[in-house]
Amino acid sequence: MSRTLLIDRGNRSLKAALVREGHIVDRREGASNDAAIVKSMAAAADRAVLSCVVPAALAAIRGALAEAGLPVVEAGAQRQLPFPLLVERPDRLGADRIAAACGAAALGLEEAVIVDAGTAVTVDCLSRRGFLGGTIFPGPALLLSSLHRGTGALPELDTIGQDAPLPGRSTREAIAAGVLRGLAAAVRGLVDASLAVLGDNVPVLLTGGAAGPAGAGLGPETRREPDLIFLGLELIGQMNGPGASN
């Protein structure tokens, strides 16, 4: 019985899932001590598949996997994938964007608009020809931080709720309305522009920790897929594991 540890290290946290026979049987998340999370789950796994977009965190994760004796497949352009990467520099393409697109393929889709909302929001285009690239936009935390750091008087808001009354009757309400409504409108515009390239009937997939505010302007036809990157990592592991044809 194959047991695979899937690791998604984003800019702000590490998410890990243990998969057995295609089902997630354990999952954990943390914003610090990546090695501890990996070690706590590695004993129950036979192998690992990793996506990491933080170079400074990579050594600790690799070390924890090596200590556990787990063979690891690192997602990236150098791996066997279900589609070609039709971008200028495949070697510079984020492993998370590749994994999310592979998640669409794991769902049986040949084409999709993929919205992954976290620290940054990516809106990528997967076509029948391959992965075409996409757009990158600041997520809510970055928008909040930039308003504070780039101005002399605006306060820094660590978090904002889901409600953004308009017009904002205080500085904080005005910031919340601008960030939440502006982000949702930007994502809607980027999705519409992507659909103009791929076709109006192409599925739109939404994932990521900031999917709520980022996807607020998207229609009901949008598919929420919270485990999209895990699905993609599992597929990458299958295509690049023992016995896979390369």
Side-chain angles (χ1 to χ4, degrees), residues 144-145 147-149 151-158 171-172 175:
L144 290 172
S145 177
L147 278 174
H148 172 66
R149 295 181 182 180
T151 62
L154 291 180
E156 182 172 14
L157 277 62
D158 293 330
T171 299
R172 287 181 174 271
I175 291 173

Side-chain angles (χ1 to χ4, degrees), residues 46-242:
D46 302 313
R47 59 175 185 158
V49 187
L50 165 66
S51 165
C52 180
V53 298
V54 183
L58 191 54
I61 297 172
R62 284 173 172 168
L65 292 171
E67 185 176 329
L70 285 187
V72 57
V73 173
E74 294 187 19
Q78 75 280 12
R79 297 301 178 191
Q80 183 80 6
L81 301 173
F83 44 73
L85 300 175
L86 305 177
V87 296
E88 288 186 359
R89 290 291 304 271
D91 58 308
R92 293 188 176 182
L93 188 61
D96 55 343
R97 296 172 69 188
I98 293 174
C102 286
L107 291 170
L109 301 175
E110 293 183 314
E111 51 187 358
V113 175
I114 304 158
V115 182
D116 185 0
T119 303
V121 179
T122 57
V123 181
D124 286 324
C125 298
L126 178 65
S127 77
R128 295 180 188 276
R129 295 188 294 114
F131 182 87
L132 303 181
T135 57
I136 303 175
F137 191 80
L142 285 180
L143 290 172
L144 290 172
S145 177
S146 66
L147 278 174
H148 172 66
R149 295 181 182 180
T151 62
L154 291 180
E156 182 172 14
L157 277 62
D158 293 330
T159 59
I160 48 180
Q162 298 296 318
D163 187 27
L166 190 68
R169 300 182 63 186
S170 69
T171 299
R172 287 181 174 271
E173 284 187 357
I175 291 173
V179 168
L180 287 176
R181 293 175 180 268
L183 175 63
V187 172
R188 174 75 261 179
L190 295 172
V191 167
D192 286 345
S194 301
L195 289 172
V197 173
L198 294 176
D200 290 339
N201 295 323
V202 170
V204 178
L205 307 181
L206 175 64
T207 194
L218 300 179
E221 71 281 359
T222 301
R223 294 173 55 175
R224 184 75 178 266
E225 297 287 348
D227 291 328
L228 189 65
I229 287 183
F230 285 151
L231 290 172
L233 289 176
E234 186 176 14
L235 179 58
I236 291 171
Q238 292 169 356
M239 295 184 68
N240 295 273

